Amino acid sequence: MSDKKTTKNLILDAAEKLFAARGFYGVSIRQITTEASVDPALASYHFGKKKDIFDAVMLRRAEILNRERIQMLDDCIRRAKPNPAPLNEIIDAFTHALLNRSNKGGAGWKSYFAIIAQINNHAELGGEIMTQYFDPLAKKFLSAIHATMPESNPEDLYWCYHFLSGALTLTFSGTDRISNLSNGLCPASDLDAVHERLVPFITAGFEAFKAKYSN
Amino acid sequence: MSDKKTTKNLILDAAEKLFAARGFYGVSIRQITTEASVDPALASYHFGKKKDIFDAVMLRRAEILNRERIQMLDDCIRRAKPNPAPLNEIIDAFTHALLNRSNKGGAGWKSYFAIIAQINNHAELGGEIMTQYFDPLAKKFLSAIHATMPESNPEDLYWCYHFLSGALTLTFSGTDRISNLSNGLCPASDLDAVHERLVPFITAGFEAFKAKYSN
DNA sequence: GTCTATAGCTTGATAGAC
DNA sequence: GTCTATCAAGCTATAGAC
């Protein structure tokens, strides 16, 4: 995202980094502008309120991601025609762009996903922002999943999606808990290891509900 | 936790409620003492720094929970002897006390779990606090899981545990995203619905790695 | 677009009377 | 244990010169 080092981008980059580390309320405008080596007044000039900086940080990468993810979903649906897309490919389309960017996209992307992880689990900020940016996409994926598991209870599928969302976002959080817990065997930063395991884990979880409520 | 309405407890109850809603940095000491209808100076007198209030909030329920969860784990291990405990019972022992308290324990417990969800996904607070309070227990559960899936790759099991942790804590977060997404079909507050589905979902996820790396 | 200066407020924390 | 009073520091946000 370091396209051009305009003042706006310098502020957004600094804000992204600091919000990721300490959360929305843990960062002041002055810390952001200091980190960006920019005058404090410029934050208000370019963005307005602090919340507007936060929204701008969220927005600039959301569009890129959503485009990639919808593309992957459409591709796997097209490949499978006239059958429904296989479940594991749908899950992969949902997660691939995220894990890949977090892994190889550079520090800015890593910070971005750490913020996503925080707000997804935050009572106040979570509902509003995630709904705004990611719900349309979530609905597309859920309808693809329903198409490939038509006999399943929709309620089950929503909850499974919820578990997927939680497992995925914790992976982005940037906490080293899994590293400590495994005595270094599983570094939290090893997103290739996650990628390899998340898709089969989640796919198997969904499949446990293939026809559970037919009895 | 409203054992006795001492000043200390009033402060802890208020802090718990506010931290759950807005996070550690989103709440001031004065907001806490106002909510508690108590003089601002008493927070310092009883606890010291703001972080000490937070630690006290975390600590008072952690012990109760961990005792219950270890008890359930030991019970299901004993019942299964001389065989290893079944996987689904281990997962249930891990999650039951949490979901049950969150569901039926009252507003204080609900707030407590919302805080857990936040810090579990928070880069700065997450590693330290979760490690401190919950890692010994996590290790006990992982070793029980390993005993029932001895042929599995330990790395796989750690990552599966990580996915479990994410799915579980998002459930506690108190965001209404799943309610909105499902047009009210799945209220986020319906923890019975979660309980029913989380255990089979996670169990199936783990079982996908029963012998994956034998090929 | 950028900077200085500042208004007006809230913060965490404490000293000292009761 | 509780309260009043207060400090120094930091905060958001803006007005106005350049």
Side-chain angles (χ1 to χ4, degrees):
Chain A
M1 224 59 186
S2 24
D3 309 53
K4 280 165 284 182
K5 289 208 187 284
T6 62
T7 298
K8 275 183 95 152
N9 280 334
L10 286 172
I11 292 172
L12 288 178
D13 289 342
E16 190 170 58
K17 176 179 169 183
L18 294 174
F19 285 146
R22 316 219 321 145
F24 179 73
Y25 294 110
V27 176
S28 71
I29 293 178
R30 299 171 102 95
Q31 288 172 324
I32 293 170
T33 52
T34 300
E35 171 79 26
S37 304
V38 144
D39 190 272
L42 295 175
S44 310
Y45 173 75
H46 285 290
F47 297 100
K49 297 177 173 297
K50 182 179 167 185
K51 183 73 192 311
D52 297 328
I53 302 177
F54 189 75
D55 287 345
V57 167
M58 289 293 94
L59 194 57
R60 67 175 175 165
R61 299 195 198 267
E63 205 186 308
I64 300 171
L65 281 180
N66 286 353
R67 203 184 321 119
E68 282 185 15
R69 296 167 82 192
I70 286 180
Q71 172 98 49
M72 277 195 74
L73 177 61
D74 287 343
D75 283 353
C76 85
I77 289 173
R78 188 159 5 84
R79 274 198 309 276
K81 271 189 178 162
N83 296 316
L87 181 59
N88 64 328
E89 291 189 21
I90 298 171
I91 306 294
D92 187 58
F94 188 77
T95 59
H96 190 282
L98 305 179
L99 289 164
N100 193 52
R101 292 275 186 184
S102 178
N103 203 8
K104 295 168 185 129
W109 280 99
K110 234 183 177 49
S111 295
Y112 180 76
F113 288 117
I115 301 173
I116 296 275
Q118 281 180 47
I119 63 176
N120 199 37
N121 286 76
H122 195 290
E124 192 193 61
L125 302 168
E128 173 195 348
I129 295 179
M130 294 300 290
T131 298
Q132 189 180 335
Y133 295 136
F134 292 107
D135 264 24
L137 186 130
K139 286 183 182 175
K140 262 184 95 82
F141 274 91
L142 273 161
S143 105
I145 291 170
H146 186 65
T148 203
M149 297 174 65
E151 74 288 2
S152 295
N153 187 332
E155 219 175 323
D156 290 341
L157 298 185
Y158 282 116
W159 282 114
C160 289
Y161 172 84
H162 178 83
F163 302 146
L164 161 58
S165 175
L168 181 62
T169 54
L170 178 58
T171 296
F172 296 143
S173 67
T175 67
D176 258 350
R177 218 185 144 215
I178 183 79
S179 310
N180 296 332
L181 204 55
S182 66
N183 294 316
L185 183 64
C186 303
S189 57
D190 183 4
L191 290 233
D192 284 334
V194 176
H195 202 167
E196 226 172 85
R197 292 170 175 92
L198 182 62
V199 176
F201 183 93
I202 298 295
T203 303
F206 268 97
E207 280 174 347
F209 293 90
K210 258 208 159 139
K212 185 148 191 233
Y213 285 84
S214 59
N215 58 352
Chain B
M1 225 56 185
S2 22
D3 310 53
K4 279 166 283 181
K5 290 208 186 285
T6 61
T7 299
K8 275 182 98 153
N9 280 335
L10 287 172
I11 292 172
L12 289 177
D13 289 343
E16 189 169 59
K17 175 179 169 182
L18 294 175
F19 285 146
R22 314 219 322 147
F24 178 72
Y25 295 110
V27 176
S28 71
I29 293 178
R30 301 169 103 96
Q31 288 172 325
I32 293 170
T33 51
T34 300
E35 172 78 26
S37 304
V38 145
D39 190 273
L42 294 175
S44 310
Y45 173 75
H46 285 289
F47 297 99
K49 296 176 174 298
K50 182 179 167 184
K51 183 74 192 311
D52 298 327
I53 303 176
F54 190 75
D55 286 345
V57 166
M58 288 292 93
L59 194 56
R60 66 173 176 165
R61 300 194 197 268
E63 206 186 309
I64 300 172
L65 281 181
N66 286 353
R67 203 183 322 121
E68 282 185 14
R69 296 166 82 192
I70 286 179
Q71 172 98 50
M72 276 194 74
L73 178 61
D74 288 343
D75 283 354
C76 84
I77 290 174
R78 188 160 5 86
R79 273 199 309 275
K81 268 190 179 160
N83 297 315
L87 181 59
N88 64 327
E89 289 188 22
I90 298 171
I91 307 294
D92 187 59
F94 188 77
T95 57
H96 190 282
L98 305 179
L99 289 164
N100 194 51
R101 292 274 186 185
S102 178
N103 202 7
K104 295 168 184 131
W109 280 99
K110 234 183 177 51
S111 295
Y112 180 75
F113 288 118
I115 300 173
I116 296 275
Q118 281 180 48
I119 64 177
N120 198 38
N121 286 77
H122 194 290
E124 192 193 62
L125 302 168
E128 173 195 347
I129 295 180
M130 293 302 290
T131 298
Q132 189 179 335
Y133 296 135
F134 293 107
D135 264 24
L137 185 131
K139 285 182 184 174
K140 264 186 94 83
F141 274 90
L142 273 161
S143 103
I145 291 171
H146 187 65
T148 204
M149 297 173 65
E151 73 289 2
S152 295
N153 186 332
E155 219 174 323
D156 290 342
L157 298 185
Y158 282 116
W159 281 115
C160 289
Y161 173 84
H162 179 82
F163 302 146
L164 161 58
S165 175
L168 182 61
T169 54
L170 177 58
T171 297
F172 296 142
S173 67
T175 66
D176 258 349
R177 217 185 146 217
I178 183 78
S179 309
N180 295 333
L181 204 55
S182 65
N183 293 316
L185 183 64
C186 304
S189 57
D190 184 3
L191 290 233
D192 284 332
V194 176
H195 202 166
E196 223 171 87
R197 292 169 175 92
L198 182 63
V199 175
F201 183 92
I202 298 294
T203 303
F206 268 96
E207 280 174 348
F209 294 90
K210 258 208 159 140
K212 182 146 192 233
Y213 285 85
S214 58
N215 58 354

